[in-house]
Amino acid sequence: MVYGILLLVIGIALIIIPLTVNTLIPVLIGVCVLVSGLSGIANTLSFRQENTSVLIPILFAITNCLLGLFILIYVLFVNTSAG
């Protein structure tokens, strides 16, 4: 019930202010990539306790975090056409 009302409010807001879609979708992608990187770091640190090699997974996780931050910074501060 609550999710339905929340989605209804978001849908109305997107219809009223269509330019937010240009900013909202890349921000959501950036946040998803950043969260993926952070969870990868957490998983890699838990693998470290099992005496496994963690160099490559931690590098990929850090790269994911940097990519997510780059997407967010670019969309919110650099790109003037996206909102």
Side-chain angles (χ1 to χ4, degrees):
M1 179 71 178
V2 175
Y3 294 117
I5 295 172
L6 180 65
L7 289 175
L8 181 68
V9 169
I10 291 172
I12 291 171
L14 291 176
I15 290 172
I16 293 173
I17 311 168
L19 289 178
T20 58
V21 175
N22 290 343
T23 305
L24 183 67
I25 292 173
V27 167
L28 288 176
I29 291 171
V31 167
C32 288
V33 172
L34 182 62
V35 168
S36 171
L38 292 175
S39 68
I41 289 174
N43 288 339
T44 303
L45 292 178
S46 69
F47 291 152
R48 188 181 75 185
Q49 297 171 353
E50 298 174 5
N51 294 329
T52 58
S53 176
V54 295
L55 181 62
I56 300 298
I58 199 84
L59 288 177
F60 279 120
I62 290 171
T63 304
N64 255 2
C65 287
L66 292 175
L67 179 64
L69 285 174
F70 173 76
I71 292 171
L72 288 174
I73 290 170
Y74 181 77
V75 169
L76 295 176
F77 300 113
V78 176
N79 192 7
T80 58
S81 68

